[in-house]
Amino acid sequence: MSIQFIDLKAQYQHLKSDIDARIHGVLDHGQYIMGPEVAELEAGLATYVGAKHAIGVCDGTAALQIALMALGIQPGDEVITTPFTFIATGEMIALMGAKPVFVDIDPVSYNLDPALIEAAITPRTRAIMPVSLYGQCADFGAINAIAEKHGIAVIEDGAQSFGATQHGKRSGNLSTIGCTSFFPSKPLGCYGDGGACFTNDELLAKKMREIRIHGQDRRYHHPVIGINGRLDTIQAAVLLAKLPSFPDEVEARARIGARYSELLQDVARVPVIGAGNTHVYAQYTIEVDQREAVQASLKEAGVPTAVHYPIPLHLQPAFAYLGQGAGSFPLAEAAGKRVMSLPMHPFMDEATQDTVVAAVKRALG
C-alpha cells in the first residue's frame, strides 16, 4: 500500500468536474489577473469566515506582509510572535525592518503563551502576531485582551487553521487582521500559491486592497507604496470549486484526527484541543521519544512523516543577530526535538489510518 502524506489526487478526483469547469471558465474569458473569480471568491471567503472583508492575495507570506504594511509597521518597531513556526512569520516582521520579539509557547497547544506576552511589551511594540499552529487557534480571548489594554493590533497567522473555530468564531475573524494560506497542502488549498487577509475594519481593508496592487487606488494612481500581491484568477477558480465542499472536509478532518488520538493516546502524546476550540489538523502532530528512530521505522513500513518544525526561529542563522541562543525559549526548543506529523487528509479511509497506527505502535513498542 502506498500511503500519501496528503492526498491531493483523491481530492481532485472527487471534485474533478467542478475544478475543470472553473479553470476552463477562466481560459475562456482570458482575464488571468484580477478576473471576476477573485471578487467572487472574496465574497465567498468573507461569508464563510464571518468577516466583513476578505482580500485575496498571492500567498500566505504576502498576506502577513500586507497586514503589517497596512498597520504601518516601521523600522524599529517591535512585533511579538512565537519562535515555533515556519520562517515566514518572523521573516515578514524582519523584512519590514521591525524586530521580531519571540515569546515561548504553551507546551500543550504549541501556540504562543498569553501569560508571557505582557512582559515582552515595550514602548516600541506595535503588534502581536500569534500563529494558529497545526490547525488550532491560539488563545485570542486572552491575547486580544492584552492587546486592547496596550493599544496594539493583533494579526493572526492562520496559514494552517482555515476552517477552525474558537467559541463559534472562525479563524481569520478572531483579531484585527487574519491571514491565511492556500498553499496546496493547506486545509483549503489551490494549485499553486495563494492566500487571503480578513478584517472587519473598513480602512484596513481599503489599505490592504491597495497594497496588493502596488499601492494603487485607481489605475496609475498610487497613494501608498505597495507590492505585487495579487491572487491569480485561475487559483481563485480552483478555490471556488473547492469551497462548497470545504465544510464536509473540515468535518472529516475532525473525525480522522479524533480517531488518531483515540488509537494513539496510550503510546504517544496526542493533540489536545483547547476549551472552545475546534481543530482542522493541517498537520496531525504527536510527540515521541527518539524521533529519528521512529521516523526510520515508519519509513521502512511505507509510512511518510514530517517534522514541523525542527529548528525554532531564534536558532535559525537568519535570526542570529537577535542574540538568542539555545535555552532562550526552552519549550519551543523541546517541542522542536520531539514533534512528528503523520499522514493526514480528509480522504483517508480507516484501513489506511489503521495501517499508520499499527506502524506507529510497532515503532514505539
Side-chain angles (χ1 to χ4, degrees):
M1 179 189 289
S2 176
I3 295 175
Q4 302 295 313
F5 189 73
I6 296 169
D7 196 343
L8 296 178
K9 289 181 181 178
Q11 185 194 50
Y12 173 61
Q13 290 304 319
H14 183 67
L15 299 171
K16 186 178 188 303
S17 59
D18 292 337
I19 291 170
D20 289 356
R22 279 288 188 175
I23 291 173
H24 280 284
V26 178
L27 297 176
D28 287 340
H29 67 56
Q31 297 176 55
Y32 300 115
I33 302 296
M34 299 300 289
E37 286 81 1
V38 174
E40 184 185 351
L41 175 68
E42 289 173 337
L45 292 173
T47 299
Y48 178 80
V49 166
K52 288 181 183 176
H53 303 281
I55 298 95
V57 299
C58 58
D59 55 62
T61 303
L64 298 176
Q65 183 181 5
I66 290 167
L68 290 164
M69 292 173 75
L71 290 169
I73 302 301
Q74 300 289 324
D77 290 341
E78 294 178 355
V79 178
I80 294 170
T81 192
T82 169
F84 193 57
T85 179
F86 183 58
I87 188 76
T89 312
E91 184 179 43
M92 289 303 100
I93 296 168
L95 194 67
M96 298 300 298
K99 178 184 178 183
V101 175
F102 297 127
V103 166
D104 214 347
I105 60 170
D106 161 34
V108 176
S109 69
Y110 306 108
N111 287 326
L112 194 65
D113 187 344
L116 303 176
I117 290 174
E118 205 149 17
I121 293 174
T122 76
R124 291 179 176 270
T125 305
R126 292 290 310 280
I128 305 169
M129 189 186 283
V131 177
S132 295
L133 200 70
Y134 298 150
Q136 177 171 208
C137 296
D139 185 352
F140 283 94
I143 293 167
N144 288 338
I146 294 165
E148 189 174 350
K149 176 181 172 183
H150 292 272
I152 53 182
V154 178
I155 303 169
E156 179 189 14
D157 181 343
Q160 300 178 11
S161 57
F162 192 76
T165 62
Q166 186 164 93
H167 300 296
K169 292 183 76 174
R170 286 204 167 103
S171 175
N173 192 30
L174 296 167
S175 58
T176 316
I177 299 173
C179 300
T180 199
S181 168
F182 301 128
F183 186 79
S185 63
K186 302 300 184 188
L188 179 64
C190 53
Y191 289 164
D193 276 312
C197 299
F198 300 92
T199 189
N200 292 307
D201 185 296
E202 299 285 340
L203 182 58
L204 286 176
K206 181 177 184 293
K207 285 182 179 177
M208 289 191 287
R209 290 188 191 282
E210 291 172 1
I211 289 166
R212 73 163 169 187
I213 48 171
H214 300 285
Q216 180 174 277
D217 64 350
R218 59 186 185 273
R219 193 164 173 81
Y220 297 127
H221 187 262
H222 306 265
V224 297
I225 297 295
I227 64 171
N228 180 4
R230 301 168 300 206
L231 177 65
D232 286 350
T233 310
I234 283 181
Q235 301 306 337
V238 171
L239 292 166
L240 279 167
K242 290 187 174 191
L243 192 57
S245 62
F246 183 63
D248 293 335
E249 293 191 16
V250 168
E251 193 176 306
R253 285 178 172 278
R255 183 182 69 250
I256 294 163
R259 188 169 186 268
Y260 257 142
S261 294
E262 182 184 346
L263 296 171
L264 291 172
Q265 61 187 342
D266 294 334
V267 297
R269 188 177 146 196
V270 299
V272 176
I273 301 176
N277 281 357
T278 62
H279 204 312
V280 290
Y281 300 103
Q283 282 85 35
Y284 183 85
T285 303
I286 60 176
E287 275 192 42
V288 296
D289 296 322
Q290 299 178 316
R291 182 177 64 201
E292 287 187 10
V294 174
Q295 284 189 285
S297 174
L298 289 169
K299 184 178 181 181
E300 195 174 326
V303 175
T305 59
V307 176
H308 310 87
Y309 296 93
I311 305 173
L313 298 193
H314 66 288
L315 299 180
Q316 295 287 351
F319 288 112
Y321 69 92
L322 295 173
Q324 296 167 322
S328 298
F329 304 101
L331 297 174
E333 292 168 31
K337 292 181 172 72
R338 294 176 49 82
V339 294
M340 181 182 76
S341 299
L342 300 176
M344 177 70 198
H345 57 84
F347 296 90
M348 178 178 281
D349 57 35
E350 289 191 358
T352 302
Q353 192 174 23
D354 288 342
T355 301
V356 174
V357 168
V360 172
K361 288 183 173 180
R362 280 197 305 273
L364 294 171

